[in-house]
Amino acid sequence: MIPIIAIDLRNPKPIYEQIKDKIKQLIIFGALKPDEKLPSVRELAQTTSINPNTIQKAYKDLESDGFIYTVSGRGNFVAPSPKKADSKRLEELYATLRATVGELSYLGVPEKNITEVVQNTISNSRPQGGNKV
Amino acid sequence: MIPIIAIDLRNPKPIYEQIKDKIKQLIIFGALKPDEKLPSVRELAQTTSINPNTIQKAYKDLESDGFIYTVSGRGNFVAPSPKKADSKRLEELYATLRATVGELSYLGVPEKNITEVVQNTISNSRPQGGNKV
Amino acid sequence: MIPIIAIDLRNPKPIYEQIKDKIKQLIIFGALKPDEKLPSVRELAQTTSINPNTIQKAYKDLESDGFIYTVSGRGNFVAPSPKKADSKRLEELYATLRATVGELSYLGVPEKNITEVVQNTISNSRPQGGNKV
Amino acid sequence: MIPIIAIDLRNPKPIYEQIKDKIKQLIIFGALKPDEKLPSVRELAQTTSINPNTIQKAYKDLESDGFIYTVSGRGNFVAPSPKKADSKRLEELYATLRATVGELSYLGVPEKNITEVVQNTISNSRPQGGNKV
DNA sequence: GTGGTCTAGACCACA
DNA sequence: GTGGTCTAGACCACT
């Protein structure tokens, strides 16, 4: 199953970041299961009409962020859930969270709407490790 | 009161965006009150050792985003209330919110911690428009 | 002062890794001081006849390893000494150390010679932090 | 005694090199005695699920490096003593040693810890040639 | 002038 | 067939 990744060339965000974000989402929200094979660099390059080098950069970044792993000659695969959270990354995420929620609130979005989105997002995100069951 | 704005040159994020973000935060979380005067471009350029053109760009962006307003010859001031919520911007913020919360959850941060940060952020953010009081 | 970096194209080790290693050495053994400016990507590309993309890859890797930092529009600079050692990297280094020393010993190099090289290397490596005075 | 060789497919290092390194270690640290028989290519291929060609290549390299010898139709055996020290290889090992020790020192590892590892490694490595006893 | 991104096209090592 | 490396050449954003 090859998930289609839509790229918006007019988006100022770099293409490889758009790819990273899309794949991250697919992993986080469970559309891609652990150890599932991702489309090969060349394959994804063809289906998206993006240059293979650009795809590879996205994959490399995802690997160093611990979302996927690479087996040379075989392809790229979804990593099992990370054991240790990188504290630097967590700080970034918290900062983004505060800025985003703050702006939403400032723009007049009622608390109820915000917390609802947060709740839904959490319950839809991939249960990590599976320890709970 | 001239808020000190710390700029990190090593940060890959463009300087003018760092300035925008910092000032946004000061407004959202109430450190800068409505109609309060912002430091002049020159002044801020001096205290931060940043090129005035860069400061100028940040101010211009903040104005078009409705966070501040400019009075020619007088200076820049904090906007009293956010301009009508731009639905495109709201969608962006929601997308960021979902991505951020999703990743936090995926990285193993318990729901409690996330919602706590969200709650605190909301209650600390500036009551918009002064409608509540 | 632009240190000349010699590249051996016949060496099976990738060019960007050769560059990384050379620069690491210059930093570790103090030929490049903290906050000293490195040659720009284009400049080094010219003096070495290596493609700029290859140089950039080396610089990016060095940055993510904490040896240098990048200021966009300004250039690349030697990072001050790392505060926290990355435990994963340390493990790699210890493994390499054991393998190397083991093989040297196995090949008949007397203990004296090995420890001498180790001692010299340590005393020549850049004093980090400067706390000791 | 068939030593178990763990291969990490995610490791970017080629599989045949991982095998070479593992076997080298077993020889250097005495887990495999001189003239002891190594598992056959087929056998090792089965127990590790690695392609026999890959194992073959590792063995061939080990032979030309003087760590093992092959008797046609009989199998592969641990070389009794290292072949005459190849000065090119020694230079490589010294270079690696300096780079590794330098980086460890740079990363803040105290001299004591480094020399301790070196000492232990030397005393655990196989006494070469049996000259000492 | 600096780094950052992207493309097109090529060759290699590995399995 | 897969990822990894490299080149040549181009355009952009930032300062």
Side-chain angles (χ1 to χ4, degrees), chain D residues 59-121:
Chain D
Y59 275 12
K60 205 162 189 178
D61 277 18
L62 284 168
E63 191 188 4
S64 75
D65 286 351
F67 283 91
I68 68 176
Y69 62 92
T70 304
V71 180
S72 318
R74 297 281 307 282
N76 299 277
F77 301 85
V78 176
S81 83
K83 85 175 178 193
K84 180 166 146 272
D86 177 352
S87 74
K88 186 160 160 265
R89 178 64 183 153
L90 279 184
E91 219 14 84
E92 276 176 27
L93 288 170
Y94 277 125
T96 303
L97 180 60
R98 275 188 288 262
T100 309
V101 170
E103 187 167 347
L104 278 167
S105 177
Y106 174 78
L107 291 175
V109 174
E111 176 167 353
K112 206 192 69 181
N113 300 22
I114 298 176
T115 51
E116 192 179 300
V117 169
V118 172
Q119 296 290 349
N120 287 342
T121 304

Side-chain angles (χ1 to χ4, degrees), chain B residues 1 3 10 14 19 25 36 40-41 50 54 60 62 77-78 81-82 117 126 129 131 133:
Chain B
M1 183 166 52
R10 302 191 199 180
I19 298 172
Q25 301 262 332
E36 184 171 346
S40 76
V41 170
I50 299 295
T54 307
K60 206 163 191 177
L62 284 167
F77 302 84
V78 177
S81 82
V117 170
R126 171 179 145 192
N131 304 327
V133 186

Side-chain angles (χ1 to χ4, degrees), chain B residues 25-36:
Chain B
Q25 301 262 332
L26 292 171
I27 294 175
I28 289 172
F29 296 110
L32 288 171
K33 307 294 183 191
D35 297 315
E36 184 171 346

Side-chain angles (χ1 to χ4, degrees), chain D residues 39-59:
Chain D
S40 76
V41 170
R42 270 185 216 168
E43 197 178 326
L44 195 51
Q46 269 195 335
T47 62
T48 55
S49 321
I50 300 295
N51 188 307
N53 295 331
T54 306
I55 311 276
Q56 189 67 280
K57 176 160 189 181
Y59 275 12

Side-chain angles (χ1 to χ4, degrees), chain C residues 24-42:
Chain C
K24 260 192 191 177
Q25 302 262 334
L26 292 172
I27 293 174
I28 289 173
F29 296 111
L32 288 170
K33 307 292 183 193
D35 295 314
E36 185 172 343
K37 188 176 182 305
L38 294 167
S40 78
V41 170
R42 286 166 170 80

Side-chain angles (χ1 to χ4, degrees), chain B:
Chain B
M1 183 166 52
I2 302 164
I4 296 170
I5 294 187
I7 298 299
D8 179 9
L9 291 176
R10 302 191 199 180
N11 192 325
K13 188 182 289 190
I15 294 178
Y16 78 89
E17 284 210 351
Q18 290 188 48
I19 298 172
K20 276 176 59 179
D21 287 348
K22 291 279 166 54
I23 295 184
K24 261 192 188 176
Q25 301 262 332
L26 292 171
I27 294 175
I28 289 172
F29 296 110
L32 288 171
K33 307 294 183 191
D35 297 315
E36 184 171 346
K37 187 177 182 304
L38 292 167
S40 76
V41 170
R42 269 186 217 167
E43 196 178 329
L44 194 51
Q46 270 195 335
T47 61
T48 55
S49 321
I50 299 295
N51 189 308
N53 294 332
T54 307
I55 311 274
Q56 188 68 279
K57 176 161 190 181
Y59 275 12
K60 206 163 191 177
D61 277 18
L62 284 167
E63 191 187 6
S64 74
D65 286 351
F67 283 92
I68 69 175
Y69 62 92
T70 303
V71 181
S72 319
R74 296 281 308 284
N76 299 276
F77 302 84
V78 177
S81 82
K83 85 173 179 193
K84 178 166 146 275
D86 177 351
S87 73
K88 185 159 159 267
R89 178 65 182 150
L90 280 184
E91 220 14 82
E92 276 175 28
L93 288 170
Y94 276 125
T96 303
L97 181 59
R98 274 188 290 262
T100 309
V101 170
E103 187 166 346
L104 278 167
S105 177
Y106 173 77
L107 290 175
V109 174
E111 176 167 354
K112 207 191 69 180
N113 298 23
I114 298 176
T115 54
E116 192 179 301
V117 170
V118 171
Q119 296 290 348
N120 285 345
T121 304
I122 294 177
S123 51
N124 286 334
S125 73
R126 171 179 145 192
Q128 37 89 229
N131 304 327
K132 298 259 181 71
V133 186

